[in-house]
Amino acid sequence: MIGLLTRDLKLAIRAGGGFGLALAFFLIVIVLVPFGVGPQTDILSKIAPGILWVGALLACLLSLDRLFATDFEDGSLELLATAPLPLEALVATKALAHWLTTGLPLTLAAVAFSVLLNLPTPGIPALITSLAIGTPALSMIGAFGAALTVGLKRGGLLLSLLVLPLYVPTLIFGAEATRRGAEAMPTTTPMLLLAAITLGAIACLPFAAAAALRVNLR
Amino acid sequence: MIGLLTRDLKLAIRAGGGFGLALAFFLIVIVLVPFGVGPQTDILSKIAPGILWVGALLACLLSLDRLFATDFEDGSLELLATAPLPLEALVATKALAHWLTTGLPLTLAAVAFSVLLNLPTPGIPALITSLAIGTPALSMIGAFGAALTVGLKRGGLLLSLLVLPLYVPTLIFGAEATRRGAEAMPTTTPMLLLAAITLGAIACLPFAAAAALRVNLR
Amino acid sequence: MSLWEYANPRKFMSTTEKAVAPLFALAALFVLTGLVWGFFFTPDDFRQGSTVKIIYLHVPSAMMAINVWAMMLITSLVWLIRRHHVSALAAKAAAPIGMTMTLMALFTGAVWGQPMWGTWWEWDPRLTSFLILFLFYLGYMALWAAVEDPDTAADLTSVLCLVGSVFAILSRYAVNFWSQGLHQGASLSLDKEENVSDVFWIPLVVCIIGFILLFIALVLLRTRTELRRRRLHAIETRERMG
Amino acid sequence: MLTLNSVACTRGGVTVLDGVSFELAAGEALILKGPNGSGKTTLLRTIAGLQPASAGVITARPESIAYAAHADGIKVPLTVAENLTFWAGLFGAPNIDAALTAFDLHALRNRPAGALSAGQKRRVGLARLVVTGRPIWALDEPTVSLDAASVALFARAVSEHLAAGGAALIATHVDLGLEARSLDVSAFRPTKSAQQNAFDEAFE
Amino acid sequence: MLTLNSVACTRGGVTVLDGVSFELAAGEALILKGPNGSGKTTLLRTIAGLQPASAGVITARPESIAYAAHADGIKVPLTVAENLTFWAGLFGAPNIDAALTAFDLHALRNRPAGALSAGQKRRVGLARLVVTGRPIWALDEPTVSLDAASVALFARAVSEHLAAGGAALIATHVDLGLEARSLDVSAFRPTKSAQQNAFDEAFE
Ligand code: HEM
Ligand SMILES: Nc1ncnc2c1ncn2[C@@H]1O[C@H](COP(=O)(O)OP(=O)(O)OP(=O)(O)O)[C@@H](O)[C@H]1O
Ligand SMILES: Nc1ncnc2c1ncn2[C@@H]1O[C@H](COP(=O)(O)OP(=O)(O)OP(=O)(O)O)[C@@H](O)[C@H]1O
Ligand SMILES: [Mg+2]
Ligand SMILES: [Mg+2]
């Protein structure tokens, strides 16, 4: 499993960027939104929690597409399926690698980005905590979606169609926690719910995803 | 060229969805934003032009990744490069196919979506016109980005990093035209600028993209 | 003797070998003089107080941020047309410097904006176009990093630089259209009537000259490094090929 | 080591083989022959456990089969050594030297796999088999793109594997220079009725 | 029809072939031989115009070369007929019947290409050559995965093409049963000094 993890990280880095790329994408989304909605700081700071969370979501999404697809296309997935590693562990490892290259850097860099969108200062710790708790769920749910669509030639859009609705609860609680933080209200409830979703996803989805992979390899 | 266009459309449809997928993604983004920023209609209607345009942009982006990559991986791109069709025409046709499956349906369905976000009624024709004028530029610029990254294994995020900054002028003029429309101001200037960008992109970028493809095939 | 002779790597290496160190010394001299002069021997501004002194870092870095991109555009064109390796590698070497300058302009601007406008960040057109410039630098460098084969990478990044330049200018235009800002207009025009007074002006010019020298020294140094790295890559490849 | 008892395989809802029975003992190799489309790949995939047999029983020790498909599963951004080390780690092999030696890859070990020719890449794919350390090799056209010298290397690797108590099941169209039984899978084409049966009895 | 005059080819910055000269006349076939990694694919890609020759001249009528690579370029979601029709449209061929007949694909014409076996897919890839109508075929290991009957089909297709005034350049490791000159590309390995030269004179 460690071998698989290092291999995936190596591949992500060799393919250019790895850790930095998700950040750059996040930054771009955050720059684009003011271009769309206009430069008024008051509106921006009001929608900041939502935009930051939607941006994190999209950054995850864009790198999901190829999570299993490259392995499927070059035949490694078949070989991995016959290896001593259970497919469940494979899925979990892949999701972890994905989180390390997207969710984690996003969480760490969120401070800088929140300044750009004028997120009120008390919202910043809430944003970071909610991202730290919530992004693993994004990666895990995304891995499930990627497993479902692995055999398809142009899975990108279809994948987002499947995955985005599953992201809704995470998004709602995450953005809500940040908003409450920004308004200096207590954030315990949404954080707990967020944590529950993440734990649930990590506990159950590897099995579902492995089942989907098995079907797609058949 | 017509053969190539029909082939690409056929492939898009067989791979599931084709025309519908971009729409569905657009719809999801538009549904997610209220979850993120909260349900206050006044804020929503203020940010509606921007969100609609950013949504269109992202829907384009998600389907770009595989524009040339599938052909590159299965070897057809090499064969196409030795065929009597000039690569410039290939790029233009691919961009057209991309526009037909994303930009066009988005433009047609924009009425319905603008209602969801409470876009003021006078903004709707402006939104539709600006999308009709602007989305071809999105597809063409995207095709250029896809040509640059075609040889890379996980081009998705890098592609967006390259392409999104190039989308800035289109986004600004498009969203501005819509906003002006919504506030019942004259929209001629941004529309003209938008048209100029689109025409410029269509006239020049096929050559740049073809050059990039040639380099990548070398 | 043609200028292109220096595009020969060997000639370039031997010529620049002696130039780098003096250039650094000269750059240090100018930058330090300008900064010390500016920080300690100019009066405080009557409105802005001593915060105005950050201008001696802010303006030179902002100017360099733009000019480095222009230099990359020229060297990319030279590579595409005449295929001189030094040219392509100079563009590659310049990008991180340009990005650092951009970041410095953004950072000093933010530090300045906090007392002046009351926020760290404002969606002002000039600031925003710098953010976009930063993204262009990022994309350019990411593409260099992602492509394995050096010649392919040089070709692709050159094309990107070309197209990117056009779009960067377009963006600058579009951003002005999008928001009217708070930022200062240009004050370094030749028409001195409407300019800041000489007391501020002269050290600023010294700083700018220093930054230009610093950039040249850094670019030469980094280009030399890139040439060596390229050569190493070549040797390694041949070694591996047996 | 491996026993098939009237196994049927389907592909895309169609039964392509029916009643396949054979036994493979340690130290033995079996060559699967048959024209294109006769079902060799399908049979190997079934034996490797990637798809279920639609009838019959396959008996083998669990996790005893190393499968090599038409595609190699090589990551082009990684070097040859990195590719093999990854598989070695997964299968618990101590090192990759034996594999590199068996397919004469020492000179290529630090090359990125993307900079290999078709035949060199294939050799890396085959070297993975040595690394798995599994007793039964199930190989689908292993010698594609290989030159004569590499085919001989491959034949030697198989012989060594057999001598060490392994077994091999090889689908191929060319002569490998191995002395082994061969089995023509076209003999197991399903009869009309069997096909009908397996296909869509549920819908009739 | 095709003349090479001391051509050098590079791959990944390394000169792999140097001083390749030969002439190919109408009605003639030339078999490229050579061990794995000797540069056959590189040479064919250079002749097809996908990469520039680093030295020497290649003379051929423009757009006279039909290239077939290791990869087939088949779209798996489309049927066999749709795949071939696409290429026919691009190359201005009137119809695909001749191609289907040459490679015995009539029975498979309405199958999605994704539901073909490896050899059947290869046959579709080869049928594309007939559809291009170009005089010079440049083929890279065309018979990979083909069974004996299909290899014979291929040999017949090549012979017919030659009889009709075409020419063929075929890189292969196996015997095709064609009578043709053969050329061992390993004879063109660059000398140490040539390699050094082409490679990085600029950096010394
Ligand atoms: C955070 C981002 C900022 C960026 C990217 C930025 C960018 C620039 C640029 C590009 C210039 C050079 C203009 C020229 O020479 O024509 C400049 C000059 C200048 N900036 Fe900023 N700026 C920022 C923030 C600020 C702030 C907050 C202030 C102060 C309130 C400020 C005050 C000035 C002044 C006084 C000049 C000199 C203008 C001149 O006379 O040339 N800037 N800035
Ligand atoms: N996805 C699929 N759906 C339906 N039929 C398929 C599918 N894949 C393969 N087939 C068919 O199943 C049969 C067996 O295919 P298989 O790949 O096992 O043949 P093979 O013996 O390996 O042939 P080859 O020597 O060409 O590799 C073929 O007739 C093929 O057309
Ligand atoms: N992208 C690359 N970068 C560097 N070297 C490469 C690259 N691709 C191939 N090579 C090397 O160039 C040489 C020629 O490769 P080529 O693919 O032309 O060989 P080939 O004769 O077709 O071999 P095969 O019979 O295995 O297909 C090989 O030594 C190979 O390792
Ligand atoms: Mg097969
Ligand atoms: Mg080859």
PDB file of all heavy atoms in Angstrom, chain A residues 4 7 10 14 71 74 78-80 82 84 217-218, chain D residues 45 52 67 72-73 75 77 82 86 90-91 128 134:
ATOM      1  N   LEU A   4       2.173   1.612  -3.412  1.00  0.00           N
ATOM      2  CA  LEU A   4       1.174   2.186  -4.310  1.00  0.00           C
ATOM      3  C   LEU A   4       1.060   3.690  -4.095  1.00  0.00           C
ATOM      4  O   LEU A   4       0.980   4.478  -5.040  1.00  0.00           O
ATOM      5  CB  LEU A   4      -0.174   1.505  -4.053  1.00  0.00           C
ATOM      6  CG  LEU A   4      -1.300   1.870  -4.995  1.00  0.00           C
ATOM      7  CD1 LEU A   4      -0.955   1.467  -6.409  1.00  0.00           C
ATOM      8  CD2 LEU A   4      -2.590   1.206  -4.566  1.00  0.00           C
ATOM      9  N   ARG A   7       4.025   5.427  -5.490  1.00  0.00           N
ATOM     10  CA  ARG A   7       3.961   5.423  -6.945  1.00  0.00           C
ATOM     11  C   ARG A   7       3.004   6.499  -7.433  1.00  0.00           C
ATOM     12  O   ARG A   7       3.324   7.283  -8.328  1.00  0.00           O
ATOM     13  CB  ARG A   7       3.477   4.062  -7.462  1.00  0.00           C
ATOM     14  CG  ARG A   7       3.422   4.021  -8.976  1.00  0.00           C
ATOM     15  CD  ARG A   7       2.732   2.779  -9.529  1.00  0.00           C
ATOM     16  NE  ARG A   7       1.290   2.871  -9.439  1.00  0.00           N
ATOM     17  CZ  ARG A   7       0.454   2.371 -10.341  1.00  0.00           C
ATOM     18  NH1 ARG A   7       0.922   1.741 -11.386  1.00  0.00           N
ATOM     19  NH2 ARG A   7      -0.852   2.487 -10.201  1.00  0.00           N
ATOM     20  N   LYS A  10       4.471   9.905  -6.978  1.00  0.00           N
ATOM     21  CA  LYS A  10       5.526  10.116  -7.972  1.00  0.00           C
ATOM     22  C   LYS A  10       4.922  10.460  -9.323  1.00  0.00           C
ATOM     23  O   LYS A  10       5.368  11.384 -10.005  1.00  0.00           O
ATOM     24  CB  LYS A  10       6.327   8.815  -8.111  1.00  0.00           C
ATOM     25  CG  LYS A  10       7.752   8.910  -7.611  1.00  0.00           C
ATOM     26  CD  LYS A  10       8.486   7.641  -7.999  1.00  0.00           C
ATOM     27  CE  LYS A  10       9.349   7.121  -6.888  1.00  0.00           C
ATOM     28  NZ  LYS A  10       9.672   5.699  -7.027  1.00  0.00           N
ATOM     29  N   ARG A  14       5.653  13.762 -11.375  1.00  0.00           N
ATOM     30  CA  ARG A  14       6.296  13.731 -12.684  1.00  0.00           C
ATOM     31  C   ARG A  14       5.411  14.375 -13.737  1.00  0.00           C
ATOM     32  O   ARG A  14       5.891  14.972 -14.680  1.00  0.00           O
ATOM     33  CB  ARG A  14       6.548  12.289 -13.136  1.00  0.00           C
ATOM     34  CG  ARG A  14       7.419  11.518 -12.232  1.00  0.00           C
ATOM     35  CD  ARG A  14       8.853  11.450 -12.719  1.00  0.00           C
ATOM     36  NE  ARG A  14       9.674  10.992 -11.630  1.00  0.00           N
ATOM     37  CZ  ARG A  14      10.130   9.750 -11.506  1.00  0.00           C
ATOM     38  NH1 ARG A  14       9.890   8.878 -12.446  1.00  0.00           N
ATOM     39  NH2 ARG A  14      10.839   9.402 -10.471  1.00  0.00           N
ATOM     40  N   ASP A  71      -4.793   4.022 -15.062  1.00  0.00           N
ATOM     41  CA  ASP A  71      -4.461   2.635 -14.758  1.00  0.00           C
ATOM     42  C   ASP A  71      -5.299   1.663 -15.576  1.00  0.00           C
ATOM     43  O   ASP A  71      -4.842   0.591 -15.957  1.00  0.00           O
ATOM     44  CB  ASP A  71      -4.679   2.351 -13.263  1.00  0.00           C
ATOM     45  CG  ASP A  71      -3.551   2.904 -12.430  1.00  0.00           C
ATOM     46  OD1 ASP A  71      -2.538   3.309 -13.019  1.00  0.00           O
ATOM     47  OD2 ASP A  71      -3.675   2.927 -11.205  1.00  0.00           O
ATOM     48  N   ASP A  74      -3.882   1.677 -19.409  1.00  0.00           N
ATOM     49  CA  ASP A  74      -2.620   1.009 -19.708  1.00  0.00           C
ATOM     50  C   ASP A  74      -2.568  -0.410 -19.157  1.00  0.00           C
ATOM     51  O   ASP A  74      -1.527  -1.063 -19.209  1.00  0.00           O
ATOM     52  CB  ASP A  74      -1.423   1.833 -19.228  1.00  0.00           C
ATOM     53  CG  ASP A  74      -1.346   1.925 -17.715  1.00  0.00           C
ATOM     54  OD1 ASP A  74      -2.035   1.150 -17.036  1.00  0.00           O
ATOM     55  OD2 ASP A  74      -0.600   2.763 -17.213  1.00  0.00           O
ATOM     56  N   GLU A  78      -6.080  -4.038 -14.287  1.00  0.00           N
ATOM     57  CA  GLU A  78      -6.295  -5.496 -14.345  1.00  0.00           C
ATOM     58  C   GLU A  78      -5.222  -6.225 -13.535  1.00  0.00           C
ATOM     59  O   GLU A  78      -5.518  -7.153 -12.799  1.00  0.00           O
ATOM     60  CB  GLU A  78      -6.210  -5.979 -15.796  1.00  0.00           C
ATOM     61  CG  GLU A  78      -7.484  -5.793 -16.568  1.00  0.00           C
ATOM     62  CD  GLU A  78      -7.456  -6.561 -17.888  1.00  0.00           C
ATOM     63  OE1 GLU A  78      -6.390  -7.086 -18.258  1.00  0.00           O
ATOM     64  OE2 GLU A  78      -8.505  -6.621 -18.537  1.00  0.00           O
ATOM     65  N   LEU A  79      -3.993  -5.770 -13.707  1.00  0.00           N
ATOM     66  CA  LEU A  79      -2.907  -6.452 -13.011  1.00  0.00           C
ATOM     67  C   LEU A  79      -3.004  -6.210 -11.512  1.00  0.00           C
ATOM     68  O   LEU A  79      -2.762  -7.112 -10.709  1.00  0.00           O
ATOM     69  CB  LEU A  79      -1.564  -5.974 -13.554  1.00  0.00           C
ATOM     70  CG  LEU A  79      -1.389  -6.189 -15.062  1.00  0.00           C
ATOM     71  CD1 LEU A  79      -0.016  -5.728 -15.507  1.00  0.00           C
ATOM     72  CD2 LEU A  79      -1.595  -7.643 -15.442  1.00  0.00           C
ATOM     73  N   LEU A  80      -3.389  -4.997 -11.136  1.00  0.00           N
ATOM     74  CA  LEU A  80      -3.558  -4.715  -9.710  1.00  0.00           C
ATOM     75  C   LEU A  80      -4.687  -5.547  -9.119  1.00  0.00           C
ATOM     76  O   LEU A  80      -4.620  -5.977  -7.966  1.00  0.00           O
ATOM     77  CB  LEU A  80      -3.863  -3.229  -9.506  1.00  0.00           C
ATOM     78  CG  LEU A  80      -2.655  -2.303  -9.593  1.00  0.00           C
ATOM     79  CD1 LEU A  80      -3.102  -0.857  -9.663  1.00  0.00           C
ATOM     80  CD2 LEU A  80      -1.748  -2.508  -8.397  1.00  0.00           C
ATOM     81  N   THR A  82      -5.449  -8.478  -9.835  1.00  0.00           N
ATOM     82  CA  THR A  82      -5.030  -9.856  -9.578  1.00  0.00           C
ATOM     83  C   THR A  82      -3.868  -9.913  -8.583  1.00  0.00           C
ATOM     84  O   THR A  82      -3.353 -10.986  -8.306  1.00  0.00           O
ATOM     85  CB  THR A  82      -4.596 -10.543 -10.888  1.00  0.00           C
ATOM     86  OG1 THR A  82      -3.548  -9.778 -11.476  1.00  0.00           O
ATOM     87  CG2 THR A  82      -5.741 -10.621 -11.860  1.00  0.00           C
ATOM     88  N   PRO A  84      -1.963  -9.265  -4.751  1.00  0.00           N
ATOM     89  CA  PRO A  84      -2.421  -9.617  -3.395  1.00  0.00           C
ATOM     90  C   PRO A  84      -3.124  -8.489  -2.643  1.00  0.00           C
ATOM     91  O   PRO A  84      -3.671  -8.722  -1.581  1.00  0.00           O
ATOM     92  CB  PRO A  84      -1.126 -10.012  -2.664  1.00  0.00           C
ATOM     93  CG  PRO A  84      -0.012  -9.793  -3.589  1.00  0.00           C
ATOM     94  CD  PRO A  84      -0.513  -9.433  -4.917  1.00  0.00           C
ATOM     95  N   LEU A 217     -14.208  -4.144 -14.528  1.00  0.00           N
ATOM     96  CA  LEU A 217     -13.103  -4.928 -15.075  1.00  0.00           C
ATOM     97  C   LEU A 217     -13.592  -6.205 -15.726  1.00  0.00           C
ATOM     98  O   LEU A 217     -12.863  -6.840 -16.468  1.00  0.00           O
ATOM     99  CB  LEU A 217     -12.118  -5.292 -13.951  1.00  0.00           C
ATOM    100  CG  LEU A 217     -11.144  -4.203 -13.573  1.00  0.00           C
ATOM    101  CD1 LEU A 217     -10.274  -4.661 -12.428  1.00  0.00           C
ATOM    102  CD2 LEU A 217     -10.280  -3.859 -14.762  1.00  0.00           C
ATOM    103  N   ARG A 218     -14.819  -6.613 -15.451  1.00  0.00           N
ATOM    104  CA  ARG A 218     -15.291  -7.925 -15.848  1.00  0.00           C
ATOM    105  C   ARG A 218     -15.295  -8.064 -17.367  1.00  0.00           C
ATOM    106  O   ARG A 218     -15.520  -7.084 -18.068  1.00  0.00           O
ATOM    107  CB  ARG A 218     -16.691  -8.153 -15.297  1.00  0.00           C
ATOM    108  CG  ARG A 218     -17.008  -9.597 -15.091  1.00  0.00           C
ATOM    109  CD  ARG A 218     -18.023  -9.734 -13.996  1.00  0.00           C
ATOM    110  NE  ARG A 218     -19.251  -9.025 -14.389  1.00  0.00           N
ATOM    111  CZ  ARG A 218     -20.245  -8.785 -13.554  1.00  0.00           C
ATOM    112  NH1 ARG A 218     -20.136  -9.137 -12.288  1.00  0.00           N
ATOM    113  NH2 ARG A 218     -21.313  -8.177 -13.971  1.00  0.00           N
TER     114      ARG A 218
ATOM    115  N   ARG D  45      -8.556 -14.592 -18.934  1.00  0.00           N
ATOM    116  CA  ARG D  45      -9.130 -13.653 -17.968  1.00  0.00           C
ATOM    117  C   ARG D  45     -10.001 -14.377 -16.950  1.00  0.00           C
ATOM    118  O   ARG D  45     -10.018 -14.034 -15.765  1.00  0.00           O
ATOM    119  CB  ARG D  45      -9.966 -12.592 -18.686  1.00  0.00           C
ATOM    120  CG  ARG D  45      -9.149 -11.508 -19.389  1.00  0.00           C
ATOM    121  CD  ARG D  45     -10.048 -10.558 -20.173  1.00  0.00           C
ATOM    122  NE  ARG D  45     -11.099 -10.015 -19.334  1.00  0.00           N
ATOM    123  CZ  ARG D  45     -10.982  -8.905 -18.617  1.00  0.00           C
ATOM    124  NH1 ARG D  45      -9.878  -8.210 -18.676  1.00  0.00           N
ATOM    125  NH2 ARG D  45     -11.982  -8.490 -17.862  1.00  0.00           N
ATOM    126  N   PRO D  52     -16.131 -14.018 -13.970  1.00  0.00           N
ATOM    127  CA  PRO D  52     -16.566 -15.335 -13.470  1.00  0.00           C
ATOM    128  C   PRO D  52     -16.822 -16.293 -14.623  1.00  0.00           C
ATOM    129  O   PRO D  52     -17.200 -15.894 -15.716  1.00  0.00           O
ATOM    130  CB  PRO D  52     -17.872 -14.990 -12.752  1.00  0.00           C
ATOM    131  CG  PRO D  52     -18.379 -13.763 -13.431  1.00  0.00           C
ATOM    132  CD  PRO D  52     -17.182 -13.005 -13.910  1.00  0.00           C
ATOM    133  N   TYR D  67      -1.008 -13.012 -14.061  1.00  0.00           N
ATOM    134  CA  TYR D  67      -1.618 -12.827 -15.367  1.00  0.00           C
ATOM    135  C   TYR D  67      -0.876 -11.729 -16.112  1.00  0.00           C
ATOM    136  O   TYR D  67      -0.486 -10.722 -15.536  1.00  0.00           O
ATOM    137  CB  TYR D  67      -3.091 -12.465 -15.156  1.00  0.00           C
ATOM    138  CG  TYR D  67      -3.846 -12.057 -16.381  1.00  0.00           C
ATOM    139  CD1 TYR D  67      -3.971 -12.915 -17.470  1.00  0.00           C
ATOM    140  CD2 TYR D  67      -4.476 -10.816 -16.457  1.00  0.00           C
ATOM    141  CE1 TYR D  67      -4.682 -12.545 -18.589  1.00  0.00           C
ATOM    142  CE2 TYR D  67      -5.199 -10.439 -17.573  1.00  0.00           C
ATOM    143  CZ  TYR D  67      -5.287 -11.315 -18.634  1.00  0.00           C
ATOM    144  OH  TYR D  67      -6.003 -10.934 -19.750  1.00  0.00           O
ATOM    145  N   ASP D  72       0.487  -3.942 -21.126  1.00  0.00           N
ATOM    146  CA  ASP D  72       1.581  -4.256 -20.213  1.00  0.00           C
ATOM    147  C   ASP D  72       1.424  -3.704 -18.807  1.00  0.00           C
ATOM    148  O   ASP D  72       2.070  -4.172 -17.882  1.00  0.00           O
ATOM    149  CB  ASP D  72       2.878  -3.662 -20.771  1.00  0.00           C
ATOM    150  CG  ASP D  72       3.463  -4.525 -21.849  1.00  0.00           C
ATOM    151  OD1 ASP D  72       3.347  -5.749 -21.713  1.00  0.00           O
ATOM    152  OD2 ASP D  72       4.006  -3.977 -22.808  1.00  0.00           O
ATOM    153  N   GLY D  73       0.641  -2.636 -18.671  1.00  0.00           N
ATOM    154  CA  GLY D  73       0.519  -2.009 -17.358  1.00  0.00           C
ATOM    155  C   GLY D  73       1.781  -1.303 -16.921  1.00  0.00           C
ATOM    156  O   GLY D  73       2.090  -1.232 -15.734  1.00  0.00           O
ATOM    157  N   LYS D  75       3.948   2.084 -16.421  1.00  0.00           N
ATOM    158  CA  LYS D  75       3.758   3.529 -16.267  1.00  0.00           C
ATOM    159  C   LYS D  75       4.872   4.250 -16.999  1.00  0.00           C
ATOM    160  O   LYS D  75       6.041   4.156 -16.590  1.00  0.00           O
ATOM    161  CB  LYS D  75       3.797   3.900 -14.783  1.00  0.00           C
ATOM    162  CG  LYS D  75       2.608   3.404 -14.026  1.00  0.00           C
ATOM    163  CD  LYS D  75       1.410   4.205 -14.456  1.00  0.00           C
ATOM    164  CE  LYS D  75       0.141   3.510 -14.040  1.00  0.00           C
ATOM    165  NZ  LYS D  75      -1.026   4.109 -14.685  1.00  0.00           N
ATOM    166  N   PRO D  77       5.851   7.394 -17.147  1.00  0.00           N
ATOM    167  CA  PRO D  77       6.714   8.389 -16.524  1.00  0.00           C
ATOM    168  C   PRO D  77       7.753   7.793 -15.568  1.00  0.00           C
ATOM    169  O   PRO D  77       8.695   8.471 -15.196  1.00  0.00           O
ATOM    170  CB  PRO D  77       5.746   9.284 -15.740  1.00  0.00           C
ATOM    171  CG  PRO D  77       4.381   8.959 -16.242  1.00  0.00           C
ATOM    172  CD  PRO D  77       4.459   7.547 -16.694  1.00  0.00           C
ATOM    173  N   GLU D  82      11.841   1.579 -11.379  1.00  0.00           N
ATOM    174  CA  GLU D  82      10.727   2.005 -10.521  1.00  0.00           C
ATOM    175  C   GLU D  82       9.478   1.175 -10.805  1.00  0.00           C
ATOM    176  O   GLU D  82       8.754   0.770  -9.888  1.00  0.00           O
ATOM    177  CB  GLU D  82      10.434   3.491 -10.747  1.00  0.00           C
ATOM    178  CG  GLU D  82      11.415   4.413 -10.063  1.00  0.00           C
ATOM    179  CD  GLU D  82      11.236   5.865 -10.490  1.00  0.00           C
ATOM    180  OE1 GLU D  82      10.762   6.123 -11.611  1.00  0.00           O
ATOM    181  OE2 GLU D  82      11.574   6.740  -9.687  1.00  0.00           O
ATOM    182  N   PHE D  86       7.909  -1.294  -7.931  1.00  0.00           N
ATOM    183  CA  PHE D  86       6.530  -1.173  -7.455  1.00  0.00           C
ATOM    184  C   PHE D  86       5.859  -2.534  -7.364  1.00  0.00           C
ATOM    185  O   PHE D  86       5.286  -2.898  -6.341  1.00  0.00           O
ATOM    186  CB  PHE D  86       5.746  -0.246  -8.388  1.00  0.00           C
ATOM    187  CG  PHE D  86       4.280  -0.354  -8.203  1.00  0.00           C
ATOM    188  CD1 PHE D  86       3.684   0.048  -7.014  1.00  0.00           C
ATOM    189  CD2 PHE D  86       3.473  -0.868  -9.211  1.00  0.00           C
ATOM    190  CE1 PHE D  86       2.320  -0.064  -6.834  1.00  0.00           C
ATOM    191  CE2 PHE D  86       2.107  -0.984  -9.023  1.00  0.00           C
ATOM    192  CZ  PHE D  86       1.530  -0.582  -7.843  1.00  0.00           C
ATOM    193  N   LEU D  90       4.592  -4.840  -4.082  1.00  0.00           N
ATOM    194  CA  LEU D  90       3.217  -5.311  -3.963  1.00  0.00           C
ATOM    195  C   LEU D  90       3.168  -6.815  -3.748  1.00  0.00           C
ATOM    196  O   LEU D  90       2.366  -7.335  -2.969  1.00  0.00           O
ATOM    197  CB  LEU D  90       2.485  -4.935  -5.255  1.00  0.00           C
ATOM    198  CG  LEU D  90       0.997  -4.730  -5.178  1.00  0.00           C
ATOM    199  CD1 LEU D  90       0.703  -3.633  -4.182  1.00  0.00           C
ATOM    200  CD2 LEU D  90       0.477  -4.337  -6.541  1.00  0.00           C
ATOM    201  N   PHE D  91       4.040  -7.544  -4.447  1.00  0.00           N
ATOM    202  CA  PHE D  91       4.004  -9.001  -4.352  1.00  0.00           C
ATOM    203  C   PHE D  91       4.981  -9.523  -3.303  1.00  0.00           C
ATOM    204  O   PHE D  91       5.164 -10.722  -3.172  1.00  0.00           O
ATOM    205  CB  PHE D  91       4.327  -9.625  -5.717  1.00  0.00           C
ATOM    206  CG  PHE D  91       3.190  -9.551  -6.690  1.00  0.00           C
ATOM    207  CD1 PHE D  91       3.068  -8.508  -7.574  1.00  0.00           C
ATOM    208  CD2 PHE D  91       2.217 -10.541  -6.698  1.00  0.00           C
ATOM    209  CE1 PHE D  91       2.019  -8.442  -8.460  1.00  0.00           C
ATOM    210  CE2 PHE D  91       1.160 -10.484  -7.583  1.00  0.00           C
ATOM    211  CZ  PHE D  91       1.058  -9.434  -8.467  1.00  0.00           C
ATOM    212  N   ARG D 128       7.931  -8.459 -15.041  1.00  0.00           N
ATOM    213  CA  ARG D 128       7.023  -8.395 -13.903  1.00  0.00           C
ATOM    214  C   ARG D 128       6.637  -9.790 -13.410  1.00  0.00           C
ATOM    215  O   ARG D 128       6.449 -10.019 -12.212  1.00  0.00           O
ATOM    216  CB  ARG D 128       5.758  -7.628 -14.298  1.00  0.00           C
ATOM    217  CG  ARG D 128       4.813  -7.301 -13.159  1.00  0.00           C
ATOM    218  CD  ARG D 128       3.566  -6.656 -13.682  1.00  0.00           C
ATOM    219  NE  ARG D 128       2.862  -7.546 -14.581  1.00  0.00           N
ATOM    220  CZ  ARG D 128       1.963  -8.431 -14.181  1.00  0.00           C
ATOM    221  NH1 ARG D 128       1.639  -8.524 -12.915  1.00  0.00           N
ATOM    222  NH2 ARG D 128       1.384  -9.217 -15.055  1.00  0.00           N
ATOM    223  N   ARG D 134       4.736 -15.894  -8.370  1.00  0.00           N
ATOM    224  CA  ARG D 134       3.597 -16.813  -8.329  1.00  0.00           C
ATOM    225  C   ARG D 134       3.840 -18.026  -9.199  1.00  0.00           C
ATOM    226  O   ARG D 134       4.538 -17.935 -10.219  1.00  0.00           O
ATOM    227  CB  ARG D 134       2.347 -16.072  -8.797  1.00  0.00           C
ATOM    228  CG  ARG D 134       1.907 -15.052  -7.766  1.00  0.00           C
ATOM    229  CD  ARG D 134       0.562 -14.506  -8.105  1.00  0.00           C
ATOM    230  NE  ARG D 134       0.016 -13.795  -6.973  1.00  0.00           N
ATOM    231  CZ  ARG D 134      -1.119 -13.118  -7.011  1.00  0.00           C
ATOM    232  NH1 ARG D 134      -1.815 -13.074  -8.122  1.00  0.00           N
ATOM    233  NH2 ARG D 134      -1.564 -12.503  -5.950  1.00  0.00           N
TER     234      ARG D 134
END
